Amino acid sequence: MAGTPTRIALAAALAAGVLLGSGADAPAAQAGPLPERMARTGGGSQLITAEAPSTASTHGTVTWWQRRNRRWVKAGSSPARFGAGGLTEGRGRRQGTSTTPTGLYGLPYAFGTAAAPAGTSVAYRRVTARSWWCQDNGSASYNRWVAPLPRDCSARDAERLSAYPTQYARALVIGYNYARPVRGRGAGIFLHVNGRGATAGCVSVPAAAMARILAWVSPSARPHIAIGTAGRGPTAITRY
């Protein structure tokens, strides 16, 4: 029975409502917390994500996550800054481009010109006037903390950490190009306190957020940081 025009219109409206409702709910149900949409998270129970809208962005968001009862729960979030040159795939990055390398990395230790925040359990090195980060491609200490500066590391190709009391008040070393350094790929990539603007390739957050992260991060949780962009593509954070 075809029914009256009124009944047909009502039935069509109800059907459309059901279909629209299903379509609207499906993406939300599939979305889930960011770490659950990622290819890898490092295998631990703590993860920091640093996500930018695109590779041209110098601003984005840092979020730290805790895995509890097989689910990832947001522990905190903050606005973030990236390199003045935007972001690029870590494996193809070149030194001196002021780009932030995308990828999934460990967090070897922390350091700072200020004391570690209360509750900090990650290894923390206090910066002194003798503390440098060697970025000299010809040095045996390439991409390493050194104190004092070794003879084979030129001061013009190294960063004196005490010269940046604001940015390096507190920082976490990002394990980019760290375990087996590739010369020319870049050195000295950190998660640190904001300066005046974009970074030279690091990720930075406000001082209060950096203190919270250091008090939260735990070596026993095998923490990692994932850096990437929203959406799809070779630098998408979900690829890592």
Side-chain angles (χ1 to χ4, degrees):
M1 190 171 177
T4 65
T6 301
R7 288 181 178 176
I8 292 172
L10 179 60
L14 289 172
V18 170
L19 291 174
L20 288 173
S22 300
D25 291 343
Q30 293 173 3
L34 177 57
E36 293 180 6
R37 292 181 277 121
M38 294 173 59
R40 295 179 299 125
T41 58
S45 58
Q46 286 187 335
L47 178 71
I48 299 171
T49 55
E51 186 177 23
S54 71
T55 54
S57 303
T58 58
H59 290 79
T61 304
V62 160
T63 305
W64 46 108
W65 306 84
Q66 189 81 37
R67 189 167 174 82
R68 296 174 184 158
N69 300 321
R70 300 184 180 181
R71 296 298 305 270
W72 286 99
V73 179
K74 183 188 292 188
S77 185
S78 170
R81 292 174 178 167
F82 296 95
L87 294 85
T88 191
E89 281 194 277
R91 60 187 177 183
R93 183 182 185 269
R94 300 305 300 169
Q95 188 164 324
T97 56
S98 293
T99 51
T100 299
T102 62
L104 178 68
Y105 308 108
L107 298 164
Y109 60 90
F111 67 87
T113 59
T120 300
S121 59
V122 66
Y124 191 90
R125 296 183 180 180
R126 193 71 182 268
V127 171
T128 72
R130 291 163 53 89
S131 306
W132 296 75
W133 198 274
C134 182
Q135 301 178 14
D136 187 335
N137 282 282
S139 174
S141 301
Y142 178 68
N143 202 18
R144 287 292 184 273
W145 169 299
V146 289
L149 190 69
R151 286 189 174 183
D152 72 341
C153 185
S154 169
R156 67 175 178 270
D157 294 318
E159 197 169 52
R160 191 167 199 163
L161 301 179
S162 61
Y164 302 91
T166 298
Q167 295 94 321
Y168 295 157
R170 288 166 177 152
L172 265 170
V173 176
I174 295 175
Y176 166 74
N177 199 30
Y178 189 77
R180 298 178 181 85
V182 176
R183 312 290 165 152
R185 190 162 288 176
I189 302 297
F190 314 125
L191 172 62
H192 63 69
V193 176
N194 283 342
R196 291 185 177 180
T199 72
C202 297
V203 180
S204 71
V205 293
M210 194 68 233
R212 288 176 61 197
I213 290 170
L214 284 177
W216 164 82
V217 72
S218 171
S220 63
R222 293 182 292 161
H224 286 73
I225 184 169
I227 305 170
T229 55
R232 300 179 180 181
T235 59
I237 196 167
T238 51
R239 291 184 64 243
Y240 306 112

